[in-house]
Amino acid sequence: MRKHISVTGVVQGVGFRPFVFGLAKRLDLRGWVRNTSGGVEIVVQGQISKVESLIHSLETEAPPLARIDSITVEPELTEIEYKTFDLRPSTNIEGAFQPISPDTAICPECERELFDPNDRRYLYPFINCTHCGPRFTIIKDLPYDRPATTMADFPLCDSCRKEYEDPLDRRFHAQPVACPECGPFVYLENSAGNSTSLSNMDMRLHAILKARRLLREGKIVAIKGLGGFHLACDAENRKTVDELRRRKDRSAKPFALMAADLGIIKCYCEVNEAECKLLTGKEKPIVLLNKNKNASLPDGLAPGMDALGFMLPYTPLHHLLLNQSDSVLDREPAPSILVMTSGNLSEEPIATENQDAFERLAPLADAFLSHDRDIHVRCDDSVVRIDRGSQTADPAVHRLSSTVYLRRSRGYAPYPVHLPFETSPILAVGGELKNTFCITREKYAFLSHHIGDMENAEVYESFEQGVQHLSKLFRVKPELIAHDLHPGYFTTKYAESITGVPRIAVQHHHAHIAACMADNGLDDRQVIGLSFDGTGYGTDGKIWGGEVLLASYADFERVAHLEYLPLPGGDSATRHPWRIAVGYAESLGLDIEGLPFLASLDKKVIDIVRKQVQKKLNTPETSSMGRLFDAISSLVGIRNEVSYEAQAAMELEAQSKAWLAEAKPYPFEIEASVIHVRELLKHVIDDVRANKPAGLIGARFHHTLAGMAEKVSLQTRAATGINETVLSGGVWQNQILLDLARAALMKNNFAVFTHQKTPANDGGLSLGQAVIANFKSMKRQENLFNS
């Protein structure tokens, strides 16, 4: 039997060719295997049963990092009689493309070698193999070969080349493979620019040992990782944590933490089986975990929060900095937990280039632990949590995911979302906050790494570089560009700057619902979409955010929404929740005189806000659910000012958890498709005057919102017969609201869809834009044809 086999998916840089080579040798088959720019190509000949066994094993025994999308088997038409099974050089097929592997945490085999004194890579901070290490962040082009990566400048030594060329070696064609003799080196610089480079074992260790000592002594060290620099310090040193906040101009946003091992994390947080699996998996994201009651870490790590974001070491260098047991490293004892926050000033992109990092981070860091392997694509750490509600739900319930993606980046991007339909080549540019972009081709939607908030030129540049790079990697020349409806967004202006390509503007909340539909593999049909978030430009020019949509990919109808209320000062009010509370109360005729939250405010400024509302001066109207959270948080005395997005809502959620069991919902009204909140706010104010705990009021508020979701869904189903409800938008990252609303909807026999592999926040928005643009374009073409 002779067969020609084509395999697509993530099958390069993951040990797939040596795996095929080993299979063929084991089964005594002949032929060849090679990489192409579209995947892996195999020609095999031999006994029928053995050829069939190889085909079966391609999927069932594939290497751990491989993700197979398709295996196509056809007769091999050539009559060549092969005498051996060979590995052929890679070939480029015009226009072909393939998914590529995300960066992957160090594997157990490499970790064992890293701490084996008899191994030639003992304590070498760049150890890797085909099962682990950098991928996405070092790739310049496909096929994935060393010359097309940032490792091109490091010629292999004889020992590494022998491994690299041995098909049965774990490092066969591992493109980043290196050792102390031929690979990248690490060096330590202080903020004055004095460096210590490492060219041998003793010198190599010097920088790492000194960095461990600096961290232990309370210094802040900038550390170059896979996708950029981190700013690191001892997480148990309160003074240093406070100093890092001062230097970084980050007053309250929680810091990410990295612990030496899982046991240390369990000392401070609750860790269930699913969370353990996430922490120890090959992606190694930041995982949000509930604090233990007796956790003794500084409050300044996550002010006002009842959870901490922990991750485990994912690079060899991280292990060397945190290891608590190696006899050589133990010369300089290290902290067991480090703050590992992004290496940037607030709102800037994470630093990746050595000189840029030194220039930008010198005021923030006391020293720099850097290296000479370039980062081609910046990639922030991913942030996830376990949806605990989904773990206890009825297993028969349709498509409940246990992992919630708050930021999908390192370890996950740019692995694609698989669509249930073909698409045109489309570029969707995303939104203004938590930006990602999306490139589609065929049935793939390539959602980019995290870009960030589009607030300065550095982020714009990072966005543009990312678009160019992924378009090149996946051989996509967009035939259509999708962007947000908001005319003032940078991403809208970027789309408008591209000439000769048709554009489609997509309403923000429609994109949220479409993203969740695509994430769940739904075909084009109408669903009830509950799109709850902070802000999005509406078709009427107002600020939406508490939306009930009857939506398909091609179109939507707004069937209900929160009532419009004033936002005094416009966007600036989002940083001052008290303005929203005062504005809402003034608009609805509610008495808030004497409430505690007003005590710290200037009465003259309060009067100015009231007059703004009365005269409708710079008070755009909003139906935002996120702003309603802000107003409640301020009214109950939790947060009058915020320093980061959703801070008020997150602190309200944290205080509400303990009161859920005894809390009852507040009243609300739905009239003519408008959800009125006057009665809700009036009862909140009454509870504040009665000195009810803020957590109890917050719990009642959460129950109320779940009741709103239930009631509007029941009304919409009664009118349309549609039974599928899709939940999307950043507000649905609130675990309390998600649990309560989902339980209520499921009790009424709704099929409930939540995000599976993408964020519910604006990090998933570009996916929705892309699929909407695809169907709108198809509809236009049909209309033209029919006319």
Side-chain angles (χ1 to χ4, degrees):
M1 176 184 284
R2 290 186 180 87
K3 292 294 181 183
H4 186 279
I5 305 167
S6 298
V7 186
T8 66
V10 178
V11 289
Q12 291 187 23
V14 295
F16 199 81
R17 278 187 303 163
F19 157 68
V20 174
F21 182 87
L23 272 181
K25 289 291 187 183
R26 189 179 81 199
L27 296 169
D28 192 27
L29 296 170
R30 299 171 303 284
W32 52 264
V33 59
R34 68 181 177 187
N35 280 345
T36 75
S37 49
V40 169
E41 188 179 10
I42 306 164
V43 168
V44 63
Q45 64 184 38
Q47 293 181 14
I48 293 174
S49 61
K50 292 183 177 182
V51 171
E52 291 174 343
S53 179
L54 179 137
I55 294 168
H56 176 74
S57 298
L58 288 177
E59 192 158 13
T60 60
E61 300 178 27
L65 299 188
R67 295 195 185 188
I68 295 175
D69 292 335
S70 69
I71 299 175
T72 304
V73 182
E74 298 174 325
E76 171 57 26
L77 301 180
T78 63
E79 297 291 330
I80 299 173
E81 286 289 339
Y82 298 102
K83 295 182 179 180
T84 59
F85 193 90
D86 302 319
L87 290 122
R88 290 191 170 183
S90 300
T91 184
N92 189 33
I93 300 174
E94 184 68 28
F97 76 106
Q98 61 169 307
I100 59 177
S101 173
D103 297 320
T104 305
I106 183 173
C107 68
E109 292 90 345
C110 284
E111 186 179 343
R112 178 185 56 77
E113 293 171 350
L114 180 66
F115 293 109
D116 180 359
N118 297 315
D119 193 279
R120 71 188 187 92
R121 293 185 176 89
Y122 175 52
L123 303 184
Y124 180 58
F126 304 99
I127 188 171
N128 66 85
C129 70
T130 53
H131 298 158
C132 67
R135 298 290 191 278
F136 174 56
T137 54
I138 66 169
I139 292 175
K140 294 182 176 180
D141 202 356
L142 296 175
Y144 176 50
D145 289 319
R146 194 178 182 97
T149 74
T150 61
M151 288 298 294
D153 294 334
F154 298 94
L156 292 168
C157 66
D158 290 343
S159 297
C160 285
R161 181 164 295 283
K162 182 178 179 182
E163 295 170 323
Y164 183 85
E165 293 178 349
D166 182 355
L168 300 181
D169 193 284
R170 197 175 87 248
R171 293 187 168 91
F172 173 72
H173 278 233
Q175 306 306 337
V177 69
C179 76
E181 299 302 318
C182 64
F185 65 89
V186 64
Y187 56 90
L188 188 74
E189 287 184 299
N190 60 31
S191 56
N194 301 317
S195 67
T196 302
S197 63
L198 314 172
S199 56
N200 57 47
M201 177 66 169
D202 291 335
M203 292 298 290
R204 185 170 77 244
L205 279 174
H206 177 77
I208 294 166
L209 290 172
K210 189 171 181 181
R212 287 166 64 100
R213 185 198 317 154
L214 290 172
L215 290 165
R216 186 182 73 244
E217 292 174 347
K219 303 298 183 183
I220 297 168
V221 180
I223 300 170
K224 189 175 182 179
L226 280 179
F229 279 79
H230 287 101
L231 290 169
C233 71
D234 181 356
E236 297 183 88
N237 188 322
R238 297 172 191 271
K239 183 179 178 180
T240 306
V241 170
D242 291 343
E243 177 63 13
L244 178 57
R245 285 204 176 279
R246 185 193 68 78
R247 293 187 193 181
K248 192 173 163 66
D249 190 25
R250 182 168 170 166
S251 61
K253 193 173 183 180
F255 282 142
L257 305 175
M258 180 178 284
D261 57 55
L262 185 62
I264 291 170
I265 296 177
K266 289 181 176 180
C267 291
Y268 299 99
C269 292
E270 301 170 8
V271 183
N272 65 23
E273 184 179 351
E275 289 160 342
C276 179
K277 187 175 180 181
L278 273 176
L279 285 164
T280 59
K282 63 182 182 293
E283 295 87 3
K284 294 289 193 304
I286 299 166
V287 182
L288 295 191
L289 303 166
N290 292 332
K291 290 182 186 177
N292 286 333
K293 292 181 180 178
N294 59 350
S296 58
L297 290 171
D299 292 337
L301 294 172
M305 296 291 106
D306 61 349
L308 294 170
F310 264 108
M311 58 182 161
L312 288 172
Y314 57 85
T315 71
L317 185 57
H318 294 153
H319 279 277
L320 297 177
L321 290 170
L322 280 160
N323 181 274
Q324 307 290 307
S325 60
D326 183 85
S327 59
V328 173
L329 295 175
D330 207 37
R331 297 175 197 166
E332 293 289 355
S336 60
I337 306 174
L338 297 177
V339 169
M340 292 288 274
T341 189
S342 55
N344 56 3
L345 282 166
S346 293
E347 313 311 330
E348 289 184 356
I350 187 171
T352 58
E353 297 178 0
N354 294 348
Q355 186 59 36
D356 174 62
F358 187 79
E359 291 172 359
R360 286 204 284 140
L361 304 183
L364 283 65
D366 300 305
F368 290 76
L369 187 62
S370 191
H371 58 76
D372 61 343
R373 184 179 69 198
D374 288 342
I375 298 169
H376 191 65
V377 178
R378 63 171 42 90
C379 200
D380 294 74
D381 293 317
S382 294
V383 183
V384 303
R385 66 170 168 78
I386 287 296
D387 176 359
R388 292 186 174 226
S390 74
Q391 294 182 296
T392 58
D394 182 347
V397 173
H398 195 42
R399 288 184 179 273
L400 288 180
S401 174
S402 64
T403 303
V404 175
Y405 295 85
L406 306 178
R407 183 167 72 202
R408 180 185 181 270
S409 200
R410 178 191 53 78
Y412 301 100
Y415 192 74
V417 174
H418 293 272
L419 302 174
F421 41 76
E422 292 278 339
T423 67
S424 305
I426 296 170
L427 167 63
V429 295
E432 201 77 349
L433 300 178
K434 297 181 175 64
N435 178 270
T436 65
F437 60 88
C438 182
I439 292 174
T440 66
R441 178 172 175 174
E442 299 171 11
K443 288 189 175 183
Y444 290 110
F446 295 99
L447 197 62
S448 78
H449 51 296
H450 173 75
I451 303 296
D453 295 348
M454 309 297 283
E455 295 184 348
N456 54 56
E458 291 83 5
V459 182
Y460 302 164
E461 183 180 354
S462 177
F463 169 86
E464 291 174 340
Q465 290 172 347
V467 169
Q468 291 169 8
H469 183 55
L470 263 64
S471 297
K472 176 183 176 182
L473 279 185
F474 301 126
R475 311 297 194 254
V476 173
K477 186 176 181 181
E479 297 175 1
L480 190 62
I481 296 177
H483 61 86
D484 195 271
L485 193 62
H486 197 299
Y489 277 2
F490 163 79
T491 48
T492 300
K493 296 182 183 301
Y494 173 83
E496 291 171 349
S497 72
I498 300 175
T499 58
V501 183
R503 300 189 311 272
I504 290 183
V506 178
Q507 200 282 319
H508 189 95
H509 300 93
H510 184 202
H512 271 309
I513 300 304
C516 189
M517 291 174 66
D519 198 357
N520 282 274
L522 301 187
D523 57 17
D524 188 30
R525 57 181 185 262
Q526 283 193 320
V527 299
I528 300 168
L530 305 184
S531 189
F532 295 171
D533 68 354
T535 185
Y537 193 77
T539 55
D540 56 2
K542 296 181 180 180
I543 303 168
W544 292 9
E547 311 306 313
V548 184
L549 309 179
L550 197 60
S552 64
Y553 289 124
D555 210 350
F556 78 95
E557 176 188 354
R558 190 189 196 197
V559 295
H561 60 88
L562 282 179
E563 65 178 302
Y564 283 126
L565 290 168
L567 202 58
D571 284 345
S572 67
T574 63
R575 297 185 290 276
H576 309 284
W578 72 266
R579 289 176 172 268
I580 302 171
V582 170
Y584 282 16
E586 184 67 25
S587 177
L588 295 171
L590 296 170
D591 178 18
I592 56 173
E593 288 299 324
L595 290 186
F597 86 98
L598 297 173
S600 62
L601 302 173
D602 186 328
K603 290 184 179 180
K604 292 181 180 179
V605 178
I606 296 172
D607 287 340
I608 290 172
V609 169
R610 285 174 168 157
K611 288 176 181 177
Q612 270 187 290
V613 174
Q614 293 165 6
K615 297 180 180 181
K616 298 183 178 181
L617 296 174
N618 192 22
T619 52
E621 291 186 317
T622 182
S623 61
S624 168
M625 186 66 79
R627 300 295 76 82
L628 184 59
F629 267 93
D630 289 342
I632 298 295
S633 179
S634 180
L635 285 170
V636 303
I638 288 178
R639 179 61 57 184
N640 273 353
E641 311 281 344
V642 299
S643 61
Y644 62 91
E645 186 193 14
Q647 181 181 5
M650 290 166 65
E651 292 182 9
L652 178 65
E653 178 188 7
Q655 292 198 30
S656 301
K657 289 180 182 177
W659 299 91
L660 287 172
E662 61 187 89
K664 304 297 181 186
Y666 291 116
F668 64 91
E669 297 176 353
I670 301 178
E671 184 179 356
S673 300
V674 177
I675 306 167
H676 295 277
V677 297
R678 187 181 189 282
E679 284 301 303
L680 159 62
L681 291 172
K682 178 180 180 300
H683 281 75
V684 167
I685 292 167
D686 290 344
D687 275 355
V688 173
R689 293 194 189 282
N691 295 316
K692 297 290 177 66
L696 174 60
I697 299 172
R700 295 192 68 185
F701 173 63
H702 281 85
H703 277 287
T704 307
L705 298 189
M708 287 181 186
E710 178 185 18
K711 188 170 182 179
V712 294
S713 296
L714 286 168
Q715 288 182 348
T716 307
R717 182 170 67 182
T720 65
I722 294 171
N723 194 54
E724 293 178 325
T725 305
V726 171
L727 312 181
S728 189
V731 168
W732 290 111
Q733 292 178 164
N734 181 310
Q735 187 70 55
I736 294 177
L737 179 58
L738 178 62
D739 286 346
L740 293 174
R742 181 170 51 197
L745 292 167
M746 287 169 17
K747 186 177 179 181
N748 285 282
N749 299 315
F750 281 96
V752 182
F753 293 89
T754 59
H755 285 258
Q756 302 294 300
K757 307 178 193 71
T758 61
N761 60 38
D762 284 5
L765 196 71
S766 58
L767 172 62
Q769 291 175 342
V771 293
I772 288 170
N774 182 67
F775 278 88
K776 281 184 174 291
S777 176
M778 290 169 54
K779 193 172 181 179
R780 286 180 182 177
Q781 292 172 9
E782 289 175 5
N783 291 340
L784 285 172
F785 179 80
N786 292 332
S787 63

